[in-house]
Amino acid sequence: MTTKSSNKSFHNAKTAKKDEFYTQLTDIEKELGHYKNHFKRKVVLCNCDDPRISNFFHYFSYNFEQLKLKKLITTCYKNLNPEIFSQNKFEKAIYLEYTGDKNGDKIPSPDEIGIKPLKGDGDFKSIECIELLKQADIVVTNPPFSLFREYVAQLVEYKKKFVIIGNMNALTYKEVFKLFKENKVWFGHSIHSGDREFGVPAHYPLKAAGCRIDDKGNKFIRVKGVRWFTNLDYEERHEEFILCKKYNPEEYPKYDNYNAINVDNTKDIPCDYKGIIGVPITFMDKYNPDQFEILGNEYDLKIPKGRGYINGKRMYGRIFIKNKKL
Ligand SMILES: C[S@@+](CC[C@H](N)C(=O)[O-])C[C@H]1O[C@@H](n2cnc3c(N)ncnc32)[C@H](O)[C@@H]1O
C-alpha cells in the first residue's frame, strides 16, 4: 500500500516524541559519497542508532576500509539488544566499537565488533556519551527530531564535524538559523526536493498519508521536507546559481514595512538587483556563500509586525539576502 507523502510526519514526531524513523541505506550512500575525502583516519560516531540495525552503522562498518576510517563508535538509546530496533523499553544501553576487518573477509562480523555496556540509557546528553563524543571527529546520524535543537547545540559546543538528517524546517529555529547565516552549517548535497522513505517500527500506527508495508511486514513512511545538515564542505555548494531574470519594480515589489524586494521563487532572483531581497527558505537549497550574503530573517532584522507586508498583505516568512557580486 502506497499513498502520498506526508510532510506532517516529522512535525508529528516532534510533538508526539515519536522519534523512531529509520534512514534508508540508499539515502545514506547518496549523501555520504560526497564526503569521502573527509573520513580518512577519522573516528566516526553514530550516537542515535540501534547499532547493528542502523543503516549508518551498516554503511560505515562495510565501508570502513574504503573510507580508511580509524574507528566507528555507535551508541543506542534504551536498548540492550544490538540486533533489534529500540522500543526504548530498557533503562540501560550499549555501544559498539569497530576498528576494522581483522580476518580479511571485509565483512564486519560479530566477533570483530566490540559490544560494551553503558552505565546509563545512552542519552546523547549523558556524561558517558559526551565522553564518546569527545573522541569523535565526525558525527553522522538521524537524531530524534523532537531533540534536534539540543542535538545540534551539543555538536556545536564540542566543535564537531557532522552530517545529520532532519526536517528542513529546523532551519527556522533561531539557533539553527544563526549557524546557517554565519556559514557554519549548510544543507547537504543530495536532497533538495521531494520526499524520502523512512522505516518505522512495527508498533507504529500507520495513519498518516504516505505509508507502505512491504511483503515482509516492514513498515515505511514517506516524509517531505527532509534535508541533510552538515558542516563538511563539498565542491558543488560553491557553484554559481545562474540567475536569468532582470529586476523591474512591477514584478518585484518592495515590502511596505522593509526596504527589500519580495521574490516568491528562488529561481526568479533578479541578477542585477543590488539591494536587499526577501526569498523563501528553499533558497537555502541553492545558497552559494561566495555569491550571496544572508542578512537574516524577520526576527534578526526586527522587521515591524514580524513579517514583510505588501499592499497590506502579510507575506510568507523570508530570508533576506544580498548579491555579493554586484
Ligand atoms: C529518527 S531515529 C533515527 C534512528 C537511526 N539513527 C536511523 O536513522 O536509522 C532517532 C533515534 O534516536 C533515539 N533517541 C531518542 N532520544 C534519544 C536520546 N536522548 N539520546 C540518544 N538517542 C535518542 C531514538 O530511540 C531513535 O532510535
Side-chain angles (χ1 to χ4, degrees), residues 19-23 47-50 56 77 86 88 122-125 141-144 147:
D19 282 324
E20 304 297 320
F21 282 77
Y22 304 117
T23 316
N47 56 355
C48 298
D49 292 81
D50 292 314
F56 287 99
Y77 182 59
S86 176
N88 297 166
D123 183 351
F124 67 83
K125 299 181 275 350
T141 193
N142 173 356
L147 301 172

Side-chain angles (χ1 to χ4, degrees), residues 101-285:
D101 182 46
K102 305 280 180 295
N103 62 11
D105 67 357
K106 298 272 189 310
I107 292 170
S109 46
D111 56 328
E112 291 168 334
I113 300 168
I115 301 177
K116 302 187 176 181
L118 287 165
K119 292 192 194 86
D121 62 8
D123 183 351
F124 67 83
K125 299 181 275 350
S126 64
I127 293 170
E128 60 184 339
C129 287
I130 290 177
E131 284 309 312
L132 295 173
L133 176 67
K134 287 181 188 167
Q135 281 189 43
D137 298 298
I138 309 177
V139 180
V140 187
T141 193
N142 173 356
F145 193 59
S146 64
L147 301 172
F148 198 84
R149 247 180 254 259
E150 296 93 312
Y151 187 85
V152 172
Q154 181 167 295
L155 294 179
V156 172
E157 183 184 346
Y158 287 92
K159 297 188 173 52
K160 294 299 159 186
K161 294 288 181 195
F162 58 87
V163 186
I164 59 173
I165 193 166
N167 189 284
M168 70 182 298
N169 287 333
L171 164 67
T172 61
Y173 298 164
K174 197 172 104 194
E175 309 81 351
V176 177
F177 183 71
K178 186 169 182 286
L179 298 169
F180 272 82
K181 188 175 136 190
E182 293 171 356
N183 197 25
K184 291 182 178 158
V185 175
W186 41 89
F187 284 153
H189 184 275
S190 65
I191 309 180
H192 292 292
S193 63
D195 46 45
R196 292 297 178 280
E197 195 169 69
F198 290 81
V200 289
H203 64 276
Y204 264 37
L206 288 189
K207 281 191 239 134
C211 303
R212 174 175 78 89
I213 302 176
D214 72 8
D215 48 12
K216 295 192 186 101
N218 299 312
K219 291 183 175 178
F220 299 90
I221 191 159
R222 293 199 77 84
V223 183
K224 276 187 187 162
V226 175
R227 295 290 183 276
W228 291 96
F229 293 70
T230 187
N231 55 4
L232 292 182
D233 207 4
Y234 57 90
E235 227 177 286
E236 294 82 350
R237 80 182 196 99
H238 298 281
E239 279 170 9
E240 187 145 334
F241 177 49
I242 306 293
L243 307 173
C244 302
K245 295 192 90 165
K246 291 210 161 203
Y247 170 71
N248 70 74
E250 288 73 42
E251 197 177 344
Y252 299 101
K254 278 197 173 170
Y255 298 100
D256 306 340
N257 53 341
Y258 190 61
N259 187 14
I261 58 165
N262 179 61
V263 170
D264 286 325
N265 210 322
T266 302
K267 71 174 175 28
D268 296 332
I269 294 171
C271 62
D272 52 352
Y273 191 77
K274 288 185 185 169
I276 304 176
I277 307 171
V279 290
I281 64 166
T282 46
F283 163 79
M284 294 312 304
D285 287 313

